[in-house]
Amino acid sequence: EPEVTQTPSHQVTQMGQEVILRCVPISNHLYFYWYRQILGQKVEFLVSFYNNEISEKSEIFDDQFSVERPDGSNFTLKIRSTKLEDSAMYFCASSARGLAGALNTGELFFGEGSRLTVL
Amino acid sequence: RKEVEQDPGPFNVPEGATVAFNCTYSNSASQSFFWYRQDCRKEPKLLMSVYSSGNEDGRFTAQLNRASQYISLLIRDSKLSDSATYLCVVNRGAAGNKLTFGGGTRVLVKP
């Protein structure tokens, strides 16, 4: 069964360091997302990406964050200068179709997540 | 008001019993509704979509009340494997390519 894969599974970094989280979405999907979940809290939307550009981003996704699809398979999230409050599980997800409107299946396929710990 | 609000629980359920819980959403423009399941420290997975007329998937029944802006999930004949956090998820209608997750309702099924 096709799946979304993420690396690394766990990364520990010092505050102020740059971090890149990598994701390989399902190959025939066109929409890509990053969500995060701080321990004990809800899953929060960060950004959606379609047709090589950001289609939507949340307030969390400030100038410290960026996404890229450097080739035909990878989708990366970069945090330029990590803060303590960036410690969270970061989930990459993909979908075959967009999620707007009433006719979507709502199925996001999530990767297993990358746990980021900022010290 | 939170976009999607859920009772965090936990709901402690004897095996074989029925459990039901709701979620409320604030955006009246939301058009699509879903229940996702999240096991401890794992990724969320789609459990079922929620349709206007209500729908069943095996032991799971979902209902939507647009007038009061809530959706519900009922689990019949609970199994130990149903222990998980159930996430209420909505879209923002025609605008925006994202799903908004509630904080989840934790269900613990006990023998």
Side-chain angles (χ1 to χ4, degrees):
Chain A
E1 185 178 317
E3 59 181 17
V4 175
T5 57
Q6 290 186 241
T7 54
S9 56
H10 189 192
Q11 181 155 356
V12 181
T13 190
Q14 296 290 326
M15 194 168 56
Q17 294 296 304
E18 177 182 282
V19 159
I20 297 176
L21 305 178
R22 292 182 167 79
C23 169
V24 179
I26 293 173
S27 61
N28 62 345
H29 283 185
L30 301 176
Y31 297 82
F32 315 116
Y33 314 84
W34 283 100
Y35 281 79
R36 80 171 186 189
Q37 188 173 32
I38 295 170
L39 188 63
Q41 297 187 25
K42 67 175 183 175
V43 176
E44 298 177 291
F45 171 77
L46 292 179
V47 65
S48 59
F49 192 88
Y50 170 70
N51 201 26
N52 283 318
E53 60 183 25
I54 290 174
S55 49
E56 188 166 356
K57 60 183 180 179
S58 71
E59 292 173 354
I60 302 167
F61 195 88
D62 61 21
D63 292 344
Q64 292 302 310
F65 291 85
S66 62
V67 289
E68 199 176 32
R69 188 154 163 83
D71 52 43
S73 58
N74 290 284
F75 179 52
T76 62
L77 174 70
K78 182 194 286 187
I79 309 174
R80 274 184 253 289
S81 178
T82 49
K83 306 183 187 70
L84 296 176
E85 54 264 36
D86 293 329
S87 294
M89 180 72 91
Y90 287 80
F91 290 110
C92 174
S94 68
S95 63
R97 288 179 280 184
L99 303 173
L103 299 179
N104 71 85
T105 64
E107 183 146 28
L108 286 179
F109 291 82
F110 284 87
E112 293 186 341
S114 292
R115 181 166 297 284
L116 176 64
T117 302
V118 182
L119 303 177
Chain B
R1 185 180 171 187
K2 291 180 185 175
E3 280 193 73
V4 181
E5 204 148 359
Q6 296 184 248
D7 182 340
F11 285 62
N12 293 299
V13 185
E15 194 175 6
T18 295
V19 61
F21 41 88
N22 296 336
C23 137
T24 57
Y25 60 94
S26 62
N27 186 353
S28 59
S30 294
Q31 295 177 345
S32 301
F33 309 90
F34 312 93
W35 285 103
Y36 273 68
R37 170 190 169 130
Q38 186 174 31
D39 294 305
C40 188
R41 296 181 178 270
K42 298 281 194 179
E43 73 275 22
K45 291 184 179 177
L46 178 66
L47 177 67
M48 61 193 298
S49 301
V50 186
Y51 302 123
S52 297
S53 52
N55 50 297
E56 272 188 26
D57 184 358
R59 298 179 293 107
F60 298 84
T61 301
Q63 297 278 353
L64 168 64
N65 184 317
R66 284 189 190 272
S68 301
Q69 293 184 204
Y70 76 83
I71 69 175
S72 64
L73 182 67
L74 181 145
I75 307 173
R76 279 188 303 279
D77 186 23
S78 299
K79 312 288 185 198
L80 296 176
S81 57
D82 294 333
S83 296
T85 298
Y86 292 86
L87 309 176
C88 175
V89 183
V90 305
N91 79 347
R92 286 198 304 152
N97 190 38
K98 76 171 199 181
L99 296 182
T100 300
F101 286 71
T105 295
R106 192 161 169 229
V107 172
L108 296 173
V109 182
K110 302 192 172 180

